[in-house]
Amino acid sequence: MSATASSSPNSEPHDPAAPVGLVRDATYTRRVERKVTTILFADLVGSTELGASLDPEYARDLLDRFYDAMEAEIALGGGTVEKFIGDAVVAVFGAPAAQEDHAERALQVALWMQERLQELFHGRLYLRIGVNSGEVVVGRPREGSSFATGDAVNVAARLEQAAEPGHVLVGERTASLVGDAFELGEPRAVEAKGKEGGVACRELRRMRAPRRPRGGHGLEARFVGRKRELEWLEDMLARAQAEGRPRLAKVVGEAGMGKTSLVRELRERLPAGTAFRLGRCLSYGRSVTYSALADVLRQELGLRQEDSAEEVLDRLAGREILGLTLGLDVAGDLEPRAALLRLQDQWVQLISQLGTRGPAVLVIEDLHWAAEPLVEVLERVLSDAEGPALVLATMRPEAAAFPAADTLSLERLTDEEVTELIEAALAAPLESRALELITDHAGGNPFFVEEVLADLLDRRLLEQRSGGWSLRGAAVDLGIPDSVQGVLAARIDLLPAGAKEALHAASVIGRSFTPGGLAALTGSSAEVRTLVERGFVRPTEPELVFKHALTRDVAYGSLPKASRARLHAAFARWLEADNATDGRAGVLAHHYSEAVAPGIAELAWRDREDELEQLSAAALRWLRRAAELSLARFDLDDALSQLHRAAELAPGEAEVWHAIGRVNALRFDGEAMWPAMEKAIELTEGTEALAELYAELTFESVMRGGMWKRPLEHGLVESWLARALELADARGAAQARALVTKSLWEDDAELAKQAVALAERLDDPVLLSYAYWARSGAAFIGLDFHEADRWAQRRFELLDRLTDPDKIAHIHYYGATAALAAGRPDEAEALVRKHDIVASRLSHTTRFTRSASSSSSRRRSDTGTRCAGFSTGSSGQSPTTRARRACSIRGRSSRVPLRAASSVSMPRRSDSRRLRSSRAFKAAAWVSGSTHHRRTSHCCEATSNGSTRYSSRPARRGNGRSTAASTRWRRNSKR
């Protein structure tokens, strides 16, 4: 698809003036929502026997008193009677209005109901009660039916049936939610129909301490305390200035501990002239690999989110490769690795330029959501950039380990600091009773403190009196959230209907959104003011951002999946019609694919098959484009994620499986590449297309032998090669690729010659490189080292036509092998050093320190001395003599025995392989510091120290080595 294509898959007519998201969506009119609630199921035991002995009128009165009493107890606890069924009652807590303490309320009511029943009937009747928490869908019920639906309701009924009369059984999730507020029995499981293994539960015994409701509205954040933490950050900046180079500092803390507030306060205290740039890693969407750097780039260059690709490229004049950061397709003909390395280079220059203007602070928020390519860029910046820049990263404790850095862990606020925070927010003192309630329950988490305080204000439970604030009334229901989800769900339900609708729609768009995007889904952006005033979002330029990522998550999770799908579709259509550029490919792929996710598409688009088909086509189109762009910047994980989503939507698309195979080959994941390629073959019918697939499968399997965790079956590879050669056009690229592979696989000199001839006819530099390598290898097997060297040298003529560092490193590596075997150790050493320069940039993670490189240099510092022993007197010696001398060289990790070289005079196939594994190949591997000494297939693989390992191609079965020779070979290898 063109970078500026704007075709939209939705062709169905609709009113362009109507809100896109509500054209054919009943999401808000029906008020259907997903909620985490607690269900109470109670059944009266003994009523049938008692009723049989009573007059019907007395029996009716008994049930009425039971109904009234139970309904009163449920209402007292803030629950809702879901329905009465004969002499049973079902109640819901946390719906239709969310309650963050719904579990505690339900258990309290269960105890009240038992007590009330005893008061009414004095032991003549008993209750069995089951209580369970879980996600349900709630909506307006039809007459006589439930308004809450979900497995949590069914499990509550099963628990009630298993309970003894007069007892309460509590589900596992409910027990987890209430914590120590109630005394519960030992965990056990009860049998339940349809539940394999039964249902885990505990018996309710008594209440230990009441839990009070917590809820909604948030105040503007106020910064208090953290004096030591601020001084630490200022000291980190001072160190960066003193060192004159970038320095990394991490701020680690749980959600809500104030990481963002700390950064905001640091910014306010920065000395004049200090540059400040901030970027945010996003936890949602797929193609947001460099979102944090995109924010920084826009700030640095004065770009806006809505700027066109042309405007962006004008501002990037001379540095167009930075457009990859913004999702633009600017890699051109560069191989993905080459594009990635060039992007890293430009970021190093950009940060260095920023540092030349004075001290700078570069903040990367939420680094725990960062993709690996972003981490690699940051590491390059920290390793190679110049200038006094503090790179400040905020992250959660559960994030994966990040390379060594100065780390600040945020701890909970003290009670005194909580008091200061509350009174700063209220601009007046708060009475001690309320202060104690909030302090005791907030646990020192500033976000929790803010949310609970705001809830009291929103519910008008605090009033200003005598110059301060105090609780309204003697008793106040207050509790700290057991989870942020409970607090935020309650906050959301306190919003007016229109604002709540706007919040839900915004959550579908993402963490940040524009007023225009929101209006496209709801018809108006007027409710933005309410959301800002209530503290749900904060205005930035030009977007609005959810104040907390968890707020967005809770709002999004409360939408029914079918409604989410339709809103995703509506937003994708609006976005595509507005400006469908490559910079938005990932976002469009995300929204379109969410709109047609297999698990919900049937429900979301029932009786709208044409619309579903159009949306699915758009999803596939953008997923493929997003994958292409990710691959162009060598973000393999993101590319693979996009392609797997495409495969879920179109499992019969051979091209998708082929692309998955290619990406897995680049990732050196043979176990994943193989089935993907076989799936593509299974779905492909055309002869030439099949030939290409078979040729590529064998080529990658043999050339990247290091990606296999187990040896490939010899017969399997042979069958693939046979199919490729059978199906391929005799003059085509598939034939050439298959010939190259087969010649290497079988050490066949004649096939190598054919491969060279065909590759030269096709003038394909990659095929030529490997065809020349095959000729070189065949010459090695024939002990003609000068011929092997001649073909290895021809590969260097192709360097100007290759951009993939992997292939370039491969040419230098085996060029060194050939030069060493031909008796030119100085040249071999030079090639090894060039190889290391290229290969060091292929590592998955560039190290902060240069210790690995220094260590590698030290290892090679005496290379000339050791190589001298090989080169001295080498002129005029026979290849066999030179090979013997090469084998006598001691390497880092092994010494090749002279005995192995004695087989030079044995030209049999089995012994030629033994020669190959012991003579010049091991010597060359020694020069480059490798510990893997066989002549290897093309499988350049990054190692932890920044060097490159070339693993051997998979071991083959039935290779013709005799038992005696095999035993001799193993014995010599061990020595």
Side-chain angles (χ1 to χ4, degrees):
M1 172 174 287
S2 169
T4 58
S6 60
S7 59
S8 175
N10 58 315
S11 59
E12 74 277 12
H14 63 270
D15 179 5
V20 177
L22 303 181
V23 171
R24 303 178 65 180
D25 186 9
T27 302
Y28 299 109
T29 57
R30 291 179 62 186
R31 297 292 177 188
V32 176
E33 290 187 75
R34 301 176 70 95
K35 290 183 177 292
V36 176
T37 65
T38 298
I39 309 297
L40 184 151
F41 206 110
D43 187 27
L44 197 57
V45 180
S47 60
T48 302
E49 293 79 2
L50 183 60
S53 63
L54 295 175
D55 181 85
E57 206 169 324
Y58 278 97
R60 178 72 257 174
D61 178 69
L62 181 148
L63 285 177
D64 283 343
R65 285 191 291 154
F66 167 73
Y67 293 152
D68 292 342
M70 298 302 103
E71 188 172 17
E73 299 301 323
I74 292 168
L76 184 64
T80 302
V81 174
E82 214 264 354
K83 59 185 171 183
F84 287 105
I85 312 171
D87 53 5
V89 59
V90 182
V92 181
F93 296 83
Q99 298 161 329
E100 66 278 3
D101 58 347
H102 50 83
E104 295 98 320
R105 289 169 177 255
L107 295 193
Q108 176 67 84
V109 168
L111 294 174
W112 287 344
M113 290 170 69
Q114 295 284 18
E115 293 172 2
R116 183 63 173 150
L117 192 72
Q118 286 296 312
E119 293 175 2
L120 282 175
F121 302 112
H122 308 290
R124 291 185 296 168
L125 296 174
Y126 297 92
L127 274 178
R128 292 186 311 207
I129 301 178
V131 182
N132 186 58
S133 301
E135 190 174 33
V136 299
V137 174
V138 298
R140 186 178 59 199
R142 298 181 185 275
E143 186 175 355
S145 69
S146 304
F147 74 85
T149 306
D151 188 57
V153 180
N154 301 328
V155 171
R158 300 294 182 267
L159 291 174
E160 176 271 313
Q161 293 166 4
E164 296 292 330
H167 292 263
V168 181
L169 284 183
V170 179
E172 187 176 31
R173 187 167 182 180
T174 308
S176 177
L177 283 170
V178 299
D180 295 330
F182 293 82
E183 182 180 328
L184 304 174
E186 293 299 317
R188 61 190 178 98
V190 297
E191 293 185 4
K193 183 178 179 181
K195 297 292 181 181
E196 186 176 352
V199 175
C201 62
R202 302 173 70 177
E203 185 173 322
L204 175 63
R205 293 178 177 171
R206 67 184 181 91
M207 184 184 70
R208 286 175 171 164
R211 290 293 182 94
R212 294 174 172 82
R214 304 171 292 267
H217 183 87
L219 289 173
E220 179 184 354
R222 298 298 182 92
F223 187 84
V224 300
R226 306 293 192 203
K227 180 180 179 181
R228 180 187 65 84
E229 290 85 348
L230 276 171
E231 291 175 349
W232 185 87
L233 291 176
E234 292 169 346
D235 180 60
M236 290 298 103
L237 178 58
R239 292 188 186 185
Q241 289 181 262
E243 294 167 358
R245 57 175 298 101
R247 187 181 188 90
L248 174 66
K250 296 190 299 185
V251 177
V252 181
E254 297 176 354
M257 290 303 293
K259 301 183 289 294
T260 299
S261 298
L262 182 64
V263 170
R264 189 181 301 121
E265 187 67 15
L266 173 67
R267 181 178 187 177
E268 296 296 323
R269 301 188 181 199
L270 288 176
T274 302
F276 184 91
R277 302 289 182 266
L278 183 145
R280 182 184 301 107
C281 300
L282 301 178
S283 62
Y284 64 94
R286 284 176 179 81
S287 294
V288 291
T289 306
Y290 298 111
S291 60
L293 294 180
D295 293 341
V296 172
L297 186 61
R298 291 190 183 99
Q299 295 167 27
E300 179 66 11
L301 301 181
L303 297 171
R304 299 173 301 170
Q305 185 79 35
E306 62 268 27
D307 285 342
S308 67
E310 292 75 16
E311 292 173 314
V312 171
L313 292 175
D314 286 342
R315 300 298 295 275
L316 291 175
R319 297 179 291 179
E320 287 79 6
I321 198 69
L322 287 173
L324 290 176
T325 308
L326 303 172
L328 300 179
D329 187 10
V330 293
D333 295 329
L334 288 174
E335 289 284 341
R337 282 190 184 87
L340 174 64
L341 296 175
R342 191 169 296 180
L343 175 65
Q344 293 176 357
D345 292 339
Q346 284 298 319
W347 270 102
V348 168
Q349 292 183 24
L350 185 68
I351 299 304
S352 296
Q353 291 170 5
L354 184 64
T356 59
R357 302 198 296 264
V361 177
L362 174 64
V363 178
I364 305 297
E365 285 194 329
D366 298 331
L367 190 63
H368 47 273
W369 285 321
E372 185 176 353
L374 171 61
V375 176
E376 289 187 25
V377 173
L378 292 177
E379 290 172 339
R380 277 291 311 282
V381 166
L382 290 161
S383 175
D384 298 347
E386 300 293 336
L390 175 63
V391 179
L392 179 58
T394 67
M395 59 199 307
R396 292 181 182 174
E398 64 270 22
F402 197 71
D406 298 297
T407 303
L408 172 67
S409 295
L410 293 187
E411 303 296 337
R412 53 171 286 177
L413 296 178
T414 65
D415 289 351
E416 292 75 17
E417 289 170 338
V418 170
T419 299
E420 182 182 356
L421 174 64
I422 292 171
E423 295 187 347
L426 295 174
L430 178 64
E431 68 167 358
S432 59
R433 182 166 62 103
L435 194 58
E436 183 178 353
L437 284 173
I438 298 174
T439 302
D440 289 346
H441 289 82
N445 186 305
F447 173 59
F448 286 179
V449 172
E450 174 190 337
E451 295 300 317
V452 174
L453 177 62
D455 172 58
L456 292 174
L457 290 169
D458 201 48
R459 294 161 59 197
R460 293 181 172 81
L461 296 178
L462 287 178
E463 60 180 0
Q464 279 189 300
R465 189 167 51 197
S466 303
W469 290 83
S470 59
L471 290 171
R472 189 191 301 272
V476 175
D477 287 335
L478 175 67
I480 192 66
D482 292 313
S483 67
V484 177
Q485 193 277 341
V487 175
L488 296 176
R491 284 187 59 202
I492 291 170
D493 277 358
L494 289 173
L495 284 171
K500 183 177 179 180
E501 174 187 335
L503 191 73
H504 281 153
S507 73
V508 172
I509 298 173
R511 174 75 187 275
S512 59
F513 59 96
T514 63
L518 181 61
L521 297 183
T522 63
S524 170
S525 60
E527 295 295 343
V528 165
R529 180 174 181 179
T530 301
L531 297 179
V532 171
E533 290 176 347
R534 293 290 187 95
F536 284 94
V537 301
R538 67 169 175 266
T540 61
E541 185 59 41
E543 297 178 312
L544 295 137
V545 180
F546 275 89
K547 188 176 180 182
H548 301 289
L550 292 171
T551 304
R552 182 261 168 187
D553 295 341
V554 172
Y556 184 78
S558 67
L559 279 169
K561 291 181 179 179
S563 297
R564 293 180 209 166
R566 291 189 285 268
L567 287 168
H568 276 297
F571 182 71
R573 288 166 170 165
W574 174 82
L575 192 65
E576 189 173 20
D578 177 62
N579 187 18
T581 64
D582 279 346
R584 291 180 169 180
V587 178
L588 285 165
H590 167 68
H591 287 288
Y592 272 125
S593 62
E594 288 295 328
V596 295
I600 200 63
E602 182 180 357
L603 178 61
W605 308 103
R606 183 179 293 127
D607 301 326
R608 297 158 69 176
E609 289 76 11
D610 291 344
E611 191 173 358
L612 175 59
E613 183 177 350
Q614 293 171 351
L615 290 169
S616 297
L620 281 172
R621 184 171 70 250
W622 284 110
L623 283 168
R624 286 173 173 170
R625 184 55 182 157
E628 291 171 1
L629 294 170
S630 294
L631 186 59
R633 59 178 180 265
F634 208 63
D635 186 356
L636 301 183
D637 289 340
D638 188 69
L640 202 56
S641 175
Q642 304 284 10
L643 290 170
H644 277 302
R645 287 301 299 271
E648 290 177 4
L649 298 179
E653 289 278 349
E655 291 182 6
V656 173
W657 290 106
H658 185 190
I660 291 173
R662 283 178 171 173
V663 175
N664 278 309
L666 289 172
R667 295 176 73 244
F668 281 85
D669 188 349
E671 303 299 323
M673 185 272 286
W674 186 357
M677 293 295 289
E678 288 193 319
K679 183 69 173 178
I681 289 171
E682 176 188 329
L683 296 170
T684 300
E685 296 181 355
T687 300
E688 190 59 32
L690 278 172
E692 289 286 351
L693 288 172
Y694 275 114
E696 184 172 345
L697 175 58
T698 53
F699 186 83
E700 295 293 350
S701 297
V702 173
M703 297 301 170
R704 298 181 186 271
M707 68 182 176
W708 296 103
K709 299 177 182 177
R710 53 187 172 84
L712 276 176
E713 293 287 345
H714 180 69
L716 184 61
V717 176
E718 291 289 352
S719 69
W720 290 343
L721 283 168
R723 287 291 287 160
L725 292 169
E726 173 191 349
L727 297 170
D729 180 350
R731 301 171 62 84
Q735 180 82 358
R737 187 177 287 110
L739 287 172
V740 168
T741 307
K742 190 172 179 64
S743 65
L744 288 167
W745 182 252
E746 298 182 354
D747 297 323
D748 191 313
E750 183 58 35
L751 287 176
K753 292 179 181 178
Q754 295 177 32
V756 168
L758 185 52
E760 288 178 340
R761 185 181 303 118
L762 294 170
D763 195 29
D764 184 316
V766 175
L767 286 176
L768 276 171
S769 175
Y770 288 116
Y772 292 163
W773 183 44
R775 287 297 308 270
S776 179
F780 262 115
I781 297 304
L783 304 180
D784 189 346
F785 299 127
H786 285 294
E787 181 71 2
D789 181 47
R790 185 174 73 83
W791 285 105
Q793 292 300 314
R794 292 196 63 179
R795 301 181 75 196
F796 287 91
E797 300 170 6
L798 303 170
L799 287 179
D800 290 342
R801 301 174 62 187
L802 298 172
T803 60
D804 186 350
D806 189 359
K807 296 176 177 61
I808 295 171
H810 185 267
I811 290 174
H812 286 85
Y813 186 89
Y814 287 103
T817 302
L820 185 62
R824 301 194 308 279
D826 291 339
E827 182 180 336
E829 181 184 359
L831 289 174
V832 167
R833 293 186 183 280
K834 290 180 180 178
H835 161 270
D836 285 354
I837 292 172
V838 178
S840 65
R841 306 180 72 186
L842 293 173
S843 60
H844 293 304
T845 306
T846 305
R847 299 294 147 191
F848 283 108
T849 66
R850 301 177 183 269
S851 59
S853 299
S854 300
S855 175
S856 178
S857 299
R858 286 193 298 271
R859 287 202 309 271
R860 293 191 295 272
S861 63
D862 62 340
T863 299
T865 303
R866 286 183 286 174
C867 285
F870 175 81
S871 60
T872 302
S874 62
S875 177
Q877 292 179 349
S878 68
T880 300
T881 303
R882 287 198 299 274
R884 285 178 178 274
R885 297 204 57 150
C887 293
S888 68
I889 300 174
R890 182 185 300 274
R892 285 186 63 239
S893 60
S894 65
R895 178 171 180 169
V896 183
L898 288 170
R899 185 173 181 179
S902 67
S903 61
V904 169
S905 61
M906 302 169 64
R908 294 195 303 274
R909 179 183 176 89
S910 60
D911 291 317
S912 68
R913 284 202 181 88
R914 186 167 52 189
L915 281 171
R916 182 181 65 196
S917 64
S918 64
R919 208 168 36 254
F921 293 94
K922 287 191 175 184
W926 158 73
V927 173
S928 63
S930 172
T931 61
H932 197 92
H933 300 310
R934 290 183 57 197
R935 180 171 75 88
T936 59
S937 302
H938 179 207
C939 46
C940 177
E941 187 172 22
T943 61
S944 60
N945 68 356
S947 65
T948 303
R949 179 174 71 245
Y950 290 91
S951 303
S952 64
R953 65 179 179 235
R956 294 174 287 173
R957 299 186 179 182
N959 56 13
R961 183 183 291 125
S962 67
T963 303
S966 179
T967 302
R968 192 164 58 249
W969 182 85
R970 287 195 297 270
R971 182 171 62 249
N972 290 339
S973 296
K974 290 178 181 178
R975 294 180 182 177

